Amino acid sequence: MTQARTRATAFAPASVGNVAVGFDILGHTVAALGDRVTATRRPEPGVSIRSITGVVADLPLEAERNTAGRAALALQQELGLTYGFDLEIEKGIPLGSGLGGSAASAVAAVVATAALVDSPPGRTQLLKFAMQGEEVASGSVHVDNIAPSLYGGLVLTVGIDNPHVKAIPVPESVRCVIVHPHMMLATREARAILKPTVPLGDVIWQQANLAGFLAGCYTDDLPLIRESLLDVVIEPQRRVLIPGFADVKQAALDAGALGCSISGAGPTMFAWAEAHDADAVCAGMVAAFARHGLETDRWVSAIDRQGARLVD
Ligand code: HSE
């Protein structure tokens, strides 16, 4: 057997969770930003976090309480490794932005550490280790950021204990517009406000939208995507957490967006648009946030099919 390497760096992209119609089960990558984790193999078991740098630095250094640390610990313990890892975390994704930052750190950690293991685990196992990291940050096990960050593209995940991950095709002309207002919203908080029950009529409407959206993606049917890319369950409850939500969404739709909603738990908002409308959609959303006193970062891109990867 060849000796595994002793040091590796992985990049894991940001992601849009839920994609409006698939609460906790659907997500897609945002290639423009992501987190990096460098893992170094060491003789003692366990995981230590040596540094956290980048756009967020005040995260827990204790491995059990850190998303990357917890995910790497899950890998180290569940594979029964007699050695351990030191981690250096470089955050590229703002905290509490709704862009899957905790998931990306967890994913980068498992991809980097897996590269240092003599018999590397498969991707489904990595997904499950990373899910344990995500749980530390958000208090719940959800895969809608973990799966796209690990696999890349638009991804549907069915099942928690035995997750099935499906890459969904995205029509060629679709671009994703991401507008991140400069404010923080904790996923825990945005989950805590959700009502535990949903009226039957809304369940039917939402499942029609999920089915229509997926069918539209598979058949390149943009009018069906436009009709279906609408969240009638979660967005109406969370929109109050985002200043200017209604104006930002209306600006996107007025500029021709196929749909516009909250990225993950927010406050970032995303829109899908055809390539020829995407810049105008972005400008409209940015201007609407500005009218509500919020500065923004923004990205327009195709939905990258590449997920987490080793970069060093
Ligand atoms: N799907 C989860 C939520 C996490 O909306 O609460 C999003 O990042």
Side-chain angles (χ1 to χ4, degrees):
M1 190 192 299
T2 50
Q3 166 67 47
R5 52 198 291 195
T6 55
R7 189 175 164 86
T9 301
F11 170 86
S15 52
V16 168
N18 304 331
V19 197
V21 288
F23 183 65
D24 279 359
I25 59 171
L26 197 62
H28 70 67
T29 43
V30 177
L33 67 172
D35 290 354
R36 292 158 75 100
V37 172
T38 298
T40 308
R41 184 166 149 171
R42 65 172 200 207
E44 312 78 44
V47 170
S48 303
I49 296 170
R50 294 296 172 206
S51 63
I52 304 174
T53 54
V55 297
V56 193
D58 55 346
L59 294 170
L61 279 165
E62 192 190 326
E64 274 288 352
R65 293 178 51 231
N66 179 289
T67 56
R70 181 70 206 113
L73 264 178
L75 178 143
Q76 191 270 328
Q77 292 168 347
E78 290 182 29
L79 296 181
L81 304 178
T82 54
Y83 48 88
F85 306 101
D86 289 336
L87 303 183
E88 294 153 57
I89 302 165
E90 204 182 319
K91 296 290 298 177
I93 305 170
L95 189 70
S97 60
L99 285 167
S102 51
S105 288
V107 167
V110 296
V111 171
T113 49
L116 311 183
V117 172
D118 300 317
S119 307
R123 253 200 318 195
T124 310
Q125 256 185 306
L126 292 186
L127 181 79
K128 293 173 94 169
F129 298 144
M131 280 160 64
Q132 296 190 36
E134 171 77 300
E135 192 178 2
V136 172
S138 67
S140 63
V141 181
H142 52 87
V143 287
D144 52 323
N145 294 112
I146 295 278
S149 187
L150 181 59
Y151 287 73
L154 174 64
V155 171
L156 171 72
T157 310
V158 177
I160 294 285
D161 294 335
N162 180 25
H164 297 265
V165 179
K166 276 281 171 206
I168 311 293
V170 177
E172 200 60 41
S173 65
V174 166
R175 297 291 176 273
C176 183
V177 178
I178 307 288
V179 182
H180 166 233
H182 292 179
M183 61 176 277
M184 248 188 72
L185 186 55
T187 300
R188 273 176 202 271
E189 185 192 332
R191 290 183 85 82
I193 65 160
L194 299 177
K195 294 192 188 95
T197 56
V198 179
L200 180 61
D202 288 348
V203 172
I204 295 167
W205 192 359
Q206 189 87 338
Q207 68 187 15
N209 286 348
L210 175 59
F213 177 74
L214 294 176
C217 284
Y218 273 103
T219 58
D220 250 327
D221 187 338
L222 295 180
L224 181 56
I225 292 175
R226 188 186 290 282
E227 185 70 29
S228 314
L229 190 50
L230 176 68
D231 173 6
V232 298
V233 172
I234 306 296
E235 181 187 299
Q237 300 182 64
R238 284 182 168 169
R239 50 188 291 162
V240 294
L241 301 174
I242 304 173
F245 174 90
D247 288 344
V248 175
K249 178 166 178 157
Q250 195 55 52
L253 297 177
D254 288 349
L258 297 165
C260 173
S261 187
I262 303 167
S263 172
T268 294
M269 291 181 63
F270 81 98
W272 273 27
E274 288 187 79
H276 52 77
D277 291 327
D279 286 339
V281 167
C282 184
M285 293 171 72
V286 166
F289 267 129
R291 285 197 298 278
H292 289 268
L294 282 166
E295 286 181 34
T296 49
D297 301 311
R298 74 291 317 236
W299 300 272
V300 176
S301 69
I303 290 162
D304 193 355
R305 282 166 187 261
Q306 210 181 10
R309 57 209 175 260
L310 291 175
V311 289
D312 199 1

